[in-house]
Amino acid sequence: MQPFVYNALPARVIFGSGTLSQVASEIQRLGCSKALVLSTPGQAKKGEALKAELGALAVGLYSNAKMHTPTSVTEDALKLLQKLQADCIVALGGGSTIGLAKALALRTDLPQIVIPTTYSGSEGTSIIGQTENGRKTTQKSLKVLPEVIIYDVDLTLGLPAQTTITSGINAIAHAIEALYSAEANPITDSLAEQGIARLAGALPVLAKDLKNSEARSDALFGAWACGSCLGVVGMALHHKLCHTLGGTFDLPHAETHTVMLPHTIAYNTPFAVAPMAKAAHSLGAASAAQGVFDLAKGLGAPYSLKELGMKEADLERAADVAMSSPYPNPAPLEREKLLNLLRDAYEGKRPA
């Protein structure tokens, strides 16, 4: 057995169907009584319904969570939180809402209960990404790790096909990076392989039948597994590029991960042969890079940056921003090679 270091992250996970009904008891279990509910504008009605169900345990709803966690939105939400004297945060939604909950917890250290409705996996990590003045930065802190994660499979049954697929591949990206991380270990490797396999098996089923509860359950478990892996180890090239593209050029989060993942895998595979062989096996493919590309394209997901609205003229700038701060990665970071990677992703080429 290889030597390794593994730091388990403390979190209470409740998984099942109909588990949304347990939010009130979890607020009380934390010793709290004045929850601020968070959502995006698109899920405001669900946020209102949850607030009404919580009754006196909820003091308000903030329904303006935004993608990439802009600091201006966080400051706006913080004012409401302080005005209402909330003593905990309840986030209902995907990565945007959970990102806002983390940003508020970073500033207040209030406990969080998060109820994911997509497969972003953000809830399983102590990582927060925030955008200010067109620049997205990340940091790690246990202050942003949710105290309670409530997975309710029923909440994912209405998730649209496009969001289902792209957020699922976004989750797979967490596990892929965990496999070749400098901090990889046998425990996260096992969890990463499980997560990839569950999602790779569930997404084709859900593309044909969005209401398949067994596939929804597998996908939600896979998202937790993948997110938990990334929470333990460090991020590398893939997440760095996606944060650059999302924060600087305002590209959609999950779709950007979906487009970029095959190309970042291909860039790193020569320097991470064994880890990417594990990924390929979990995907049921001969090649991890081609397996992810074929999965995304075959399910109708976007597979080029051009489709997402990226301008070809901005590729040079994206490479410069990505190179501006060093970070661990299996393959050496070389600007021209990164630019070629970005060009391939822009055109939507299948990795060689």
Side-chain angles (χ1 to χ4, degrees), residues 98-129:
I98 293 168
L100 175 58
K102 287 181 168 185
L104 291 172
L106 183 66
R107 290 159 173 78
T108 65
D109 209 18
L110 289 180
Q112 305 170 73
I113 298 172
V114 300
I115 309 116
T117 58
T118 70
Y119 306 131
S120 75
S122 172
E123 67 280 354
T125 78
S126 57
I127 302 165
I128 178 171

Side-chain angles (χ1 to χ4, degrees), residues 71-327:
T71 54
S72 58
V73 172
T74 301
E75 295 303 321
D76 187 44
L78 182 61
K79 290 176 184 176
L80 179 63
L81 184 148
Q82 293 171 336
K83 178 182 176 182
L84 298 173
Q85 297 183 318
D87 60 5
C88 68
I89 301 160
V90 175
L92 175 67
S96 298
T97 307
I98 293 168
L100 175 58
K102 287 181 168 185
L104 291 172
L106 183 66
R107 290 159 173 78
T108 65
D109 209 18
L110 289 180
Q112 305 170 73
I113 298 172
V114 300
I115 309 116
T117 58
T118 70
Y119 306 131
S120 75
S122 172
E123 67 280 354
T125 78
S126 57
I127 302 165
I128 178 171
Q130 302 180 92
T131 303
E132 185 172 14
N133 299 323
R135 186 92 179 227
K136 189 168 185 178
T137 58
T138 61
Q139 63 177 290
K140 266 190 172 185
S141 170
L142 286 178
K143 288 174 70 174
V144 309
L145 186 71
E147 279 70 16
V148 182
I149 308 170
I150 297 178
Y151 290 103
D152 190 335
V153 176
D154 296 346
L155 295 178
T156 66
L157 295 177
L159 200 60
Q162 178 88 339
T163 307
T164 295
I165 294 160
T166 56
S167 70
I169 296 175
N170 179 13
I172 288 174
H174 302 335
I176 295 287
E177 291 237 296
L179 285 170
Y180 60 55
S181 168
E183 299 162 307
N185 60 77
I187 300 170
T188 55
D189 280 6
S190 177
L191 202 54
E193 290 175 73
Q194 284 189 68
I196 294 168
R198 292 289 185 107
L199 281 159
L203 293 179
V205 175
L206 292 172
K208 297 176 181 177
D209 178 11
L210 290 171
K211 299 291 186 181
N212 188 306
S213 58
E214 184 175 348
R216 285 290 184 192
S217 182
D218 280 350
L220 198 56
F221 173 82
W224 170 78
C226 293
S228 297
C229 291
L230 190 65
V232 171
V233 301
M235 296 186 294
L237 173 65
H238 174 78
H239 280 80
K240 177 67 175 181
L241 281 179
C242 289
H243 289 157
T244 295
L245 294 168
T248 306
F249 304 102
D250 199 31
L251 298 188
H253 183 81
E255 289 85 349
T256 301
H257 279 272
T258 300
V259 169
M260 293 302 300
L261 185 57
H263 303 284
T264 55
I265 292 173
Y267 186 98
N268 277 323
T269 294
F271 296 84
V273 175
M276 292 305 92
K278 292 179 181 179
H281 181 265
S282 296
L283 288 162
S287 154
Q290 293 176 351
V292 171
F293 183 90
D294 293 342
L295 177 66
K297 187 176 181 180
L299 297 180
Y303 57 93
S304 72
L305 291 176
K306 188 187 300 184
E307 291 176 80
L308 303 185
M310 183 77 180
K311 296 177 181 177
E312 188 172 10
D314 286 333
L315 297 179
E316 296 263 2
R317 183 182 171 205
D320 289 338
V321 174
M323 290 292 296
S324 64
S325 58
Y327 47 94

Side-chain angles (χ1 to χ4, degrees), residues 12-16 19 22-23 25-26 148-152:
R12 176 174 168 84
V13 177
I14 299 170
F15 190 102
T19 50
Q22 298 184 41
V23 176
S25 61
E26 290 301 314
V148 182
I149 308 170
I150 297 178
Y151 290 103
D152 190 335

